């Protein structure tokens, strides 16, 4: 039997990524647009966990199905971990993902420390009587320039995965989905669902 879940996002790139990771486990993922919902989430200034919970609770006003809400961000060590929890807002303030990446590259000019990491916290809601949280991370570096690959979204073109020698945007979708912060958080969600007998694969 299939397990159905609502992903609390309007971002089609995220829906595709999560769908690709969960489909082999018999999980059907619906994005908000599949439910004709268009929610403008008001994120707080706190943590990824707090923002994921805000998104899950908002969507729970419309459905009693299991909900998965994620909040993610890019933390750059030399920039005091900015844009971090404000990654999405920062992109909007800059005007586009390209402009945000150009600004980051300019802020990092001359800096030897290029260390960065993507973090993703997922909130699973409407499953137990309390929200459940799962976090995944991937460490990398900020590239010297924008690498426009075939795939990816957001900050992918500047996030260099050292062991692959490529940015997220240059990796195939399959490769990104094996190692990304979101995939790592989703692996923990899958373990929880399996242990609790909600999925079998
Ligand atoms: P939110 O989690 O929807 O609030 O988005 C966080 C921000 O980080 C967005 O602007 C995304 O574009 C960016 N982001 C999150 N995950 C990724 C990723 O895997 N690649 C590139 N950018 C990402």
């Amino acid at each position: 039997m299939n397990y159905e879940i609502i992903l609390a996002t309007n971002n089609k790139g995220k829906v595709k990524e999560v769908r690709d990771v969960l489909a082999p486990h018999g999980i059907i993922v619906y994005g908000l647009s599949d439910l004709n919902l268009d929610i403008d989430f008001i994120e707080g200034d706190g943590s990824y966990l707090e923002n994921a919970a805000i998104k899950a609770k908002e969507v729970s006003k419309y459905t009693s199905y299991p909900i998965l809400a994620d909040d993610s961000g890019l933390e750059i060590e030399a920039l005091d971990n900015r844009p971090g929890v404000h990654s999405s807002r920062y992109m909007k303030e800059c005007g586009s993902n390209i402009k945000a990446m150009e600004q980051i590259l300019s802020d990092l000019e001359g800096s030897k420390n290029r260390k960065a990491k993507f973090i993703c916290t997922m909130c699973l809601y409407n499953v137990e009587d309390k929200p459940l949280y799962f976090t995944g991370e991937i460490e990398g570096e900020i590239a010297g320039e924008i690498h426009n690959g075939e795939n990816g979204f957001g900050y992918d073109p500047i996030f260099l995965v050292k062991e692959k020698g490529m940015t997220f945007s240059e990796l195939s979708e399959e490769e990104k989905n094996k190692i990304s912060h979101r995939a790592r958080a989703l692996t923990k969600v899958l373990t929880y669902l399996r242990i609790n007998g909600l999925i079998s694969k």
Side-chain angles (χ1 to χ4, degrees):
M1 216 183 87
N2 285 320
Y3 190 76
E4 294 176 300
I5 213 161
I6 316 289
L7 190 66
T9 185
N10 301 307
N11 180 327
K12 294 209 167 72
K14 272 192 193 175
V15 175
K16 177 162 183 356
E17 266 191 29
V18 174
R19 204 170 257 160
D20 287 351
V21 175
L22 297 187
H25 303 274
I27 302 176
I28 300 178
V29 176
Y30 300 101
L32 294 182
S33 59
D34 297 315
L35 306 182
N36 288 324
L37 288 175
D38 184 11
I39 303 175
D40 196 12
F41 296 109
I42 313 285
E43 295 185 4
D45 281 325
S47 59
Y48 300 105
L49 188 146
E50 192 187 304
N51 285 337
I54 289 173
K55 294 175 191 174
K57 281 182 194 152
E58 186 60 30
V59 174
S60 73
K61 292 179 187 162
Y62 303 92
T63 179
S64 55
Y65 271 68
I67 296 165
L68 197 54
D70 90 316
D71 195 62
S72 45
L74 175 65
E75 300 197 347
I76 301 169
E77 199 174 273
L79 302 181
D80 297 326
N81 294 329
R82 283 191 294 110
V85 79
H86 295 122
S87 294
S88 168
R89 249 174 286 175
Y90 184 66
M91 216 171 255
K92 283 183 202 146
E93 281 161 18
C94 291
S96 69
N97 69 327
I98 300 289
K99 289 201 175 122
M101 289 188 289
E102 283 171 353
Q103 186 59 52
I104 287 171
L105 293 179
S106 139
D107 291 348
L108 281 180
E109 226 167 73
S111 169
K112 284 200 182 122
N113 180 4
R114 315 287 296 191
K115 278 190 200 159
K117 62 183 169 186
F118 267 121
I119 300 181
C120 169
T121 294
M122 298 238 164
C123 173
L124 187 60
Y125 207 79
N126 282 349
V127 174
E128 284 194 19
D129 53 10
K130 61 177 192 315
L132 303 166
Y133 299 99
F134 307 87
T135 292
E137 288 187 18
I138 175 163
E139 291 187 355
E141 286 187 358
I142 299 300
E145 58 193 11
I146 293 174
H147 293 247
N148 279 318
E150 297 278 306
N151 299 305
F153 64 95
Y155 299 96
D156 277 348
I158 54 168
F159 188 77
L160 194 59
V161 184
K162 251 178 108 181
E163 59 273 22
K164 303 268 182 196
M166 276 188 256
T167 60
F168 257 174
S169 60
E170 295 166 306
L171 293 179
S172 69
E173 290 175 356
E174 289 80 11
E175 280 175 308
K176 183 182 175 192
N177 282 345
K178 278 188 207 147
I179 58 171
S180 79
H181 47 313
R182 214 167 350 272
R184 287 175 177 170
L186 283 173
T187 300
K188 295 180 184 173
V189 173
L190 284 168
T191 303
Y192 166 84
L193 294 174
R194 212 175 289 117
I195 286 173
N196 287 281
L198 298 166
I199 57 168
S200 53
K201 285 192 242 178

